Amino acid sequence: MKDLESWLKERHITEVECLVSDITGIARGKITPVSKFVAEKGMRLPESVLLQSVTGDYVEDDIYYSLLDPADIDMICKPDSGAAYPVPWALEPTAQVIHDCYDKMGNPIELSARNQLKKVLALYAEQGWKPVVAPEMEFYLTKRCEDPDLPLQPPIGRSGRQETGRQSFSIDAANEFDPLFEDMYDWCEAQGLDIDTLIHEEGTAQMEINFRHGDPLSLADQVFLFKRTMREAALKHDVAATFMAKPVTNEPGSAMHIHQSVLDAESGRSVFSNDDGTMSELFLQHIGGLQKYIPEALPLMAPNVNSFRRFLPDTSAPVNVEWGEENRTCGLRVPDSSAQNRRVENRLPGADANAYLAIAASLLCGYMGMMRKINPSAPVQGRAFERRNLRLPFTLEMALERMEHCEELATYLGSKFVTGYVAVKRVENENFKRVISSWEREFLLLSV
């Protein structure tokens, strides 16, 4: 805490945004004067915020009271001194500090997304392994729209025109929003977010930001903060940035591709490569674990009804857990690299996923493969869309059913977390089913 106090004083911080990520990935917490933050050394929040849905609703009472104290007691949120960042868009000198959640006995709260990632990283540490990840975040820029019933429209760029057609990797199309991205880069630099490449993706006004590889917990924190940063930069320029998995009809979805590798913690050498540079058994088993368990853990990577709109045949999103070298039709792509940098790219998570949980789930699936010596299927040559033996659940309801009955996930993540997560997502799904879509009105209203 002393280091954190010094950090706040050096920057003349007057306010602190105390943050935790809920299950959905929404930043919950309190904004407090710096003097109170220093005096209290953290904050208290009702544990129930971790069972709140994206609509603000809570899970059913029988589940709510089976997972939480009936008195709705507070959890103790302690600041992580390594997760303090300035808020460069704030009018006053403000910091945002990510907190970890504990009960009053000092035990980590199982429903906390960040605690789940820390739990998975501890599993690797016990084996003398150090995982490394590099997320890639896709998102759309759109016109601001006050009416959720109206389709989203591309924003107007510097030229005064809307983008039309597919502009994959177009420099000029990305430059249409230079003032916005200049602010985004400046704000990310001020926060120490380790972003790398900006790419115009396939969709109309769809962009991608790549993060440099590094520690999974730090990168999950950075993705959590990057979403806030990108939305704020967009709003400053009177447009919107959305990380919905499939925000625009007939346009590609937005993913959070996760590149992951594993090093020996002592030597720093990749455990994914043999001495002669070939693929190691651990690497193949890591892929085998991803293949076996991603279909069970899919709601952690595709958490919303909208997430499953990405998974359509013959689109940019894979509909399988096949693997192949330099093959983007596979859910699990092995990029061409040196032996030390050998990795697998998990292309299944959506941009709408909670980064803590998506990274935790992806690493856990690989870990279980390594520990249980699960061999992968043969790598795919050509189009993986033609393979049918490793299909994923097609709907959120199907995926939640599989997750709920996966004993391995309950063993590692805890039955309390699995029960709570599934319950939150079912509440959201029930809310969705109450809404009548424009498709239903257009095609059923006068026809059936």
Side-chain angles (χ1 to χ4, degrees), residues 173-187:
N175 286 343
E176 281 284 290
F177 305 101
D178 264 353
L180 187 162
F181 289 124
E182 287 297 329
D183 281 335
M184 181 271 292
Y185 270 112
D186 288 345
W187 291 352

Side-chain angles (χ1 to χ4, degrees), residues 21 56 63 84 104 106 113 132-133 148 162 196 223 250 252 280 410 419 427 436:
S21 167
I63 296 175
K104 55 187 176 183
V132 176
V133 302
Q162 289 179 307
D196 191 2
V223 171
N250 297 326
S280 69
T419 299
V427 166
I436 309 304

Side-chain angles (χ1 to χ4, degrees), residues 211-283:
F211 286 80
R212 294 185 181 92
H213 64 275
D215 172 69
L217 183 62
S218 174
L219 267 299
D221 286 342
Q222 291 183 50
V223 171
F224 176 56
L225 298 178
F226 172 74
K227 287 186 174 184
R228 300 189 78 208
T229 304
M230 192 65 243
R231 292 190 188 106
E232 289 288 341
L235 289 175
K236 178 181 175 182
H237 294 272
D238 200 33
V239 300
T242 177
F243 294 89
M244 276 180 67
K246 187 81 167 178
V248 184
T249 303
N250 297 326
E251 293 285 352
S254 292
M256 174 170 55
H257 298 153
I258 301 172
H259 292 250
Q260 56 197 67
S261 58
V262 181
L263 308 179
D264 178 88
E266 187 172 338
S267 69
R269 294 187 60 186
S270 172
V271 305
F272 281 178
S273 296
N274 297 316
D275 291 339
D276 62 0
T278 57
M279 296 179 184
S280 69
E281 282 192 7
L282 284 174
F283 178 62

Side-chain angles (χ1 to χ4, degrees), residues 136-142 177 180-181 184-185 195 197-211 226-227 229-231 233-234 239-248 252-256 350-352:
E136 299 174 349
M137 295 298 297
E138 296 173 347
F139 58 93
Y140 275 87
L141 298 177
T142 75
F177 305 101
L180 187 162
F181 289 124
M184 181 271 292
Y185 270 112
I195 62 173
T197 311
L198 168 67
I199 299 168
H200 192 297
E201 261 295 345
E202 185 178 351
T204 304
Q206 185 187 30
M207 308 293 172
E208 176 182 292
I209 286 287
N210 298 335
F211 286 80
F226 172 74
K227 287 186 174 184
T229 304
M230 192 65 243
R231 292 190 188 106
V239 300
T242 177
F243 294 89
M244 276 180 67
K246 187 81 167 178
V248 184
S254 292
M256 174 170 55
D352 58 334

